[in-house]
Amino acid sequence: MRVAKINYWLNTCNFPAYQSPFYMANYLHGFIPEEQQRLIDQAGFLAPKIFKKIDFSGCEHLLEIGSGVGAQTQALLSLFPQLKITCVDYSDSQIEKAKENLKGFEDRVTFSVQDAMELNLDQTFDSAYICWVLEHIAEPRIVLEKVHRHLKPGAKVFLTEVFNSTHYTFPALPFAQKYYRAYNDFQTQIGGHPEIGASLGNLLQQSGFTQISHWLGGFHLDQTHPEELKAMISFWVKLMKSGAEHLIQAGLVTEEEVRKMEEEYHMLPENENAVFFIQFVQAFASV
Ligand SMILES: C[S@@+](CC[C@H](N)C(=O)[O-])C[C@H]1O[C@@H](n2cnc3c(N)ncnc32)[C@H](O)[C@@H]1O
């Protein structure tokens, strides 16, 4: 409760979140072991969608920003066996978990605990990868500018980020909608960007990148694929609940409302006209 209040005060004072010693408490999902496991599960579940167009062939040294527990790193190492990856995350506990998860890849991975807003590495790279991170950062453009400075001419960067207002269900789920509004409002209040996917092209251009392209990925599920619909709901409820503790602490939802949100989503596949829709945005650019 106290941390939520301090963060609320810091944000209403317009202090950049990263100046605060509490800034990591501004991270919506938290760093508990269940959340660290959720990132691994998430990477596996979304990999077929995310890696469709991502291509780091011909690249040798990749900079991964916000690498978390190494879930994306593992996929990148397997898909592109020539890659050596430098993982940057501002959380000690995420990096410690990533070291555990990436055992066996020691010769191909190095780690650096630092805030991407202050990115400072004594190496330049021929590629960069950022996935589900910029939404959490107060000034994503600063991060992209810093990344740009760490890339060699001709280097490529792939981004994947949320575009949360694209979410739709049929039928409408009143508690789920209320919860989702609170989830997105809270992220905005703490300096995040739940719609950042829509702005990736502009941000890349403003940060000095060229040859920018972007495209949509995501899910449009209904009763034509009932098993996929159920799997998506299960994944989605876990994602939603990863923010529950913060939302309850901030007084935006009650425990009862979290329970009802969960119940509504789990009932959705029972409806013969059920639809679940969500899009994210991917972008490619070079230096
Ligand atoms: C949702 S997780 C995604 C992790 C990983 N990219 C994945 O897809 O599994 C976001 C990660 O970004 C990190 N992060 C957030 N803000 C950061 C910052 N300013 N500098 C470095 N890392 C940051 C968090 O610690 C967290 O590990």
Side-chain angles (χ1 to χ4, degrees):
M1 189 67 181
R2 193 157 161 260
V3 169
K5 275 190 184 152
I6 291 166
N7 282 326
Y8 177 75
W9 172 75
L10 288 166
N11 285 306
T12 51
C13 289
N14 284 331
F15 285 171
Y18 62 92
Q19 283 181 4
S20 155
F22 299 97
Y23 70 102
M24 276 204 291
N26 270 356
Y27 177 61
L28 174 70
H29 304 294
F31 302 103
I32 59 171
E34 289 82 353
E35 168 56 17
Q36 294 184 323
Q37 182 57 45
R38 190 191 66 78
L39 287 176
I40 299 285
D41 298 342
Q42 168 175 273
F45 182 74
L46 297 178
K49 300 268 176 190
I50 291 184
F51 288 102
K52 251 189 209 165
K53 290 196 185 183
I54 290 176
D55 183 9
F56 286 116
S57 48
C59 299
E60 203 185 339
H61 294 286
L62 181 138
L63 170 61
E64 185 184 358
I65 299 293
S67 49
V69 299
Q72 303 286 333
T73 324
Q74 203 160 16
L76 289 164
L77 289 166
S78 309
L79 287 169
F80 305 102
Q82 84 291 354
L83 274 186
K84 291 197 164 65
I85 304 183
T86 296
C87 295
V88 172
D89 201 288
Y90 70 177
S91 157
D92 275 315
S93 65
Q94 299 287 78
I95 291 282
E96 281 315 305
K97 195 70 192 172
K99 284 181 185 167
E100 243 176 70
N101 290 336
L102 296 170
K103 278 213 173 95
F105 289 109
E106 285 85 353
D107 53 334
R108 294 177 59 200
V109 196
T110 51
F111 299 94
S112 179
V113 178
Q114 55 175 290
D115 184 350
M117 297 269 294
E118 315 276 343
L119 187 68
N120 188 9
L121 296 164
D122 54 10
Q123 191 187 340
T124 54
F125 300 83
D126 56 20
S127 46
Y129 181 78
I130 310 179
C131 183
W132 314 130
V133 179
L134 296 176
E135 62 170 304
H136 299 292
I137 297 187
E139 298 287 350
R141 181 174 156 181
I142 293 181
V143 172
L144 291 176
E145 284 169 359
K146 300 265 183 194
V147 169
H148 189 275
R149 267 178 241 157
H150 283 78
L151 293 177
K152 295 177 179 158
K156 37 182 162 176
V157 58
F158 281 96
L159 311 180
T160 303
E161 293 292 339
V162 294
F163 188 0
N164 283 357
S165 62
T166 60
H167 179 38
Y168 169 86
T169 64
F170 186 87
L173 309 174
F175 281 101
Q177 282 180 344
K178 184 187 173 203
Y179 185 91
Y180 198 52
R181 267 197 303 277
Y183 179 95
N184 290 313
D185 289 351
F186 182 73
Q187 198 179 17
T188 306
Q189 275 172 34
I190 61 175
H193 309 279
E195 312 301 344
I196 194 163
S199 303
L200 292 183
N202 289 336
L203 285 166
L204 283 163
Q205 182 166 277
Q206 290 156 8
S207 315
F209 287 91
T210 59
Q211 297 179 53
I212 299 159
S213 57
H214 45 74
W215 59 92
L216 291 171
F219 297 85
H220 182 178
L221 296 168
D222 59 18
Q223 296 297 10
T224 61
H225 295 85
E227 292 311 315
E228 283 179 44
L229 176 63
K230 278 190 196 141
M232 181 68 208
I233 296 288
S234 166
F235 161 77
W236 186 255
V237 167
K238 284 182 197 140
L239 173 64
M240 289 296 99
K241 285 182 73 182
S242 69
E245 198 184 318
H246 277 119
L247 300 189
I248 293 168
Q249 279 178 2
L252 295 174
V253 296
T254 63
E255 279 182 29
E256 178 64 1
E257 284 169 332
V258 177
R259 200 186 57 70
K260 285 187 166 154
M261 171 276 291
E262 195 174 354
E263 200 176 277
E264 278 185 346
Y265 274 122
H266 282 305
M267 290 298 291
L268 186 71
E270 306 296 316
N271 187 308
E272 63 176 350
N273 296 312
V275 176
F276 183 101
F277 186 92
I278 184 80
Q279 299 280 275
F280 55 83
V281 182
Q282 296 194 283
F284 166 81
S286 51
V287 174

